[in-house]
Amino acid sequence: MITFLVFLPFLLGFVVIGVYAERKIAGFVQNRLGPTEVGPIGLLQTVADLVKMLQKEDVRPKAIDKPLFLVAPIVIFVSIFAGFAALPLTEGVDGAGFSVGVFYLLAIVSIDVLGVLMAGWGSNNKYSLYGAMRAAAQIVSYEIPLGLSVLCVVMYGQSLDLQQLSIQQGVLSDAPAYFLGVKGWDVSEVGGFLTWNVFTMPVLWVAFLIFFIAGLAESNRVPFDLPESESELIGGYHTEYSGFRWGVFMLSEYAMMLLVSLLAAILFLGGWNTPLPNIGGLQLATYTTGPVWGAFWLAGKGLFLIFLQMMIRWTYPRLRVDQLMNLSWKYLTPAAILLLFIVGIWKLWML
């Protein structure tokens, strides 16, 4: 309940600000201004667009499969929004407190592909169906390297509890943390970025990269936006949607971006732990660790990763279908399997 009350307003506000930020970032990358007219420096442009969208008529084609068509946006949004329940927001705030939070998160988010298929099939539109088929193939393909990269962290941290995985990456941990995996180089009292998973187990940098790429594909973000590609499919699986129902799809996409970014921060970048280490008598890590600081650090890391996703959108071209599949099955999946073996062998050697 706490997660619902915290994340729903935050998510709605994030989408309003995120759309504006993406337009400004796009303008910066493409050497143009972005929104400038509505409100100071265009700050109210997204609000105006939101009001306009809510006023639009809910148009439904005559030949749709009505139950599937109407339920699809709800299935997608609920499956993604339910994933936030497992996230530890800060020290002492565990979300729903699942002891198997990683398993729950990967399972519940996978349901969104059903909503996409329902939207594509229920629209009775060949472009929507093409988009839905592309989405199903893409999401199923990239869930494998994403899950394997997450499993590397689970094997390393010996826990499926996201809060426990977060605690292990800071000064509050009771276990030793060896910088770069070198025994005798214990940095558990130093804290900061030195105790993050990517620094105590360097090969997790590669796992993080795989997770980030697969997360882009799961979120249908460029260069993996084949399910929606406007230049080919008009809009993909949500071509026939308008007004509020279309807005739910957009809300779900930004929610998925946020969820993937926060999960990446928790698994690889210390979660809600501070990046500032203790330096001699200057106890930066100790002073900047706590419930309020934790929420600030987690949000900051998540928003930074979202910024990277937005920069990538306006930098790289869209992949072809064969390139997309080759990247997953020929490169990311074998690399993730190899990383899993390396982490397992290293863990046994350390024990």
Side-chain angles (χ1 to χ4, degrees):
M1 187 63 180
I2 293 177
T3 305
F4 176 82
L5 294 176
V6 170
F7 266 110
L8 185 57
F10 176 76
L11 186 58
L12 295 174
F14 163 73
V15 172
V16 173
I17 297 171
V19 172
Y20 172 80
E22 183 148 26
R23 288 172 169 175
K24 281 295 188 181
I25 291 171
F28 170 76
V29 172
Q30 298 177 347
N31 196 26
R32 54 187 177 83
L33 296 177
T36 58
E37 298 297 326
V38 184
I41 60 174
L43 284 172
L44 299 179
Q45 181 64 61
T46 306
V47 177
D49 292 340
L50 179 62
V51 172
K52 177 184 175 183
M53 181 193 70
L54 293 176
Q55 291 177 334
K56 284 188 175 182
E57 182 181 359
D58 182 19
V59 179
R60 306 174 194 171
K62 184 181 293 186
I64 63 171
D65 186 325
K66 190 173 180 180
L68 294 180
F69 185 85
L70 298 181
V71 171
I74 300 173
V75 172
I76 295 175
F77 176 74
V78 170
S79 65
I80 295 173
F81 186 72
F84 287 98
L87 297 181
L89 306 182
T90 183
E91 178 193 349
V93 181
D94 303 350
F98 295 126
S99 60
V100 289
V102 174
F103 179 77
Y104 163 83
L105 195 57
L106 294 178
I108 197 71
V109 172
S110 300
I111 298 175
D112 75 324
V113 71
L114 297 178
V116 171
L117 288 171
M118 291 166 64
W121 181 265
S123 295
N124 195 26
N125 178 307
K126 63 180 180 180
Y127 296 108
S128 298
L129 185 57
Y130 287 153
M133 292 299 103
R134 285 181 175 185
Q138 177 174 305
I139 292 174
V140 170
S141 297
Y142 280 85
E143 275 181 352
I144 296 174
L146 185 142
L148 289 171
S149 62
V150 171
L151 193 57
C152 290
V153 178
V154 170
M155 184 179 293
Y156 176 66
Q158 298 290 293
S159 176
L160 288 169
D161 189 336
L162 290 169
Q163 182 71 304
Q164 186 60 35
L165 292 174
S166 297
I167 293 173
Q168 292 174 3
Q169 300 179 70
V171 291
L172 299 180
S173 175
D174 296 329
Y178 300 115
F179 184 62
L180 301 180
V182 179
K183 277 189 174 181
W185 201 345
D186 188 359
V187 291
S188 56
E189 297 297 325
V190 178
F193 69 93
L194 299 175
T195 54
W196 294 358
N197 280 337
V198 289
F199 289 102
T200 57
M201 182 62 181
V203 298
L204 288 183
W205 274 112
V206 183
F208 169 68
L209 181 62
I210 293 173
F211 180 93
F212 186 76
I213 294 173
L216 287 175
E218 292 285 308
S219 305
N220 294 330
R221 297 287 296 182
V222 177
F224 304 100
D225 67 330
L226 282 167
E228 301 176 10
S229 49
E230 294 88 349
S231 58
E232 303 169 32
L233 303 178
I234 311 175
Y237 55 87
H238 52 62
T239 296
E240 299 294 352
Y241 287 86
S242 63
F244 177 75
R245 297 185 193 280
W246 180 87
V248 173
F249 283 108
M250 182 60 65
L251 178 64
S252 300
E253 178 178 316
Y254 276 82
M256 188 65 170
M257 288 172 57
L258 181 62
L259 181 61
V260 167
S261 298
L262 291 178
L263 183 59
I266 291 169
L267 293 176
F268 299 98
L269 305 178
W272 41 258
N273 286 291
T274 175
L276 304 176
N278 290 328
I279 304 174
L282 192 60
Q283 301 292 301
L284 295 177
T286 304
Y287 297 150
T288 58
T289 296
V292 177
W293 276 109
F296 171 77
W297 294 124
L298 180 62
K301 294 170 187 177
L303 293 176
F304 174 73
L305 293 177
I306 288 170
F307 169 75
L308 291 182
Q309 293 184 47
M310 292 179 178
M311 288 292 292
I312 288 172
R313 173 175 181 177
W314 302 104
T315 305
Y316 292 98
R318 181 183 303 133
L319 295 177
R320 298 194 312 264
V321 174
D322 61 311
Q323 293 173 328
L324 182 140
M325 290 301 174
N326 283 341
L327 178 61
S328 174
W329 293 106
K330 291 185 178 180
Y331 299 100
L332 296 185
T333 299
I337 293 173
L338 178 61
L339 284 174
L340 196 61
F341 276 107
I342 293 174
V343 173
I345 292 171
W346 184 88
K347 194 69 178 176
L348 288 173
W349 175 71
M350 287 295 293
L351 291 175

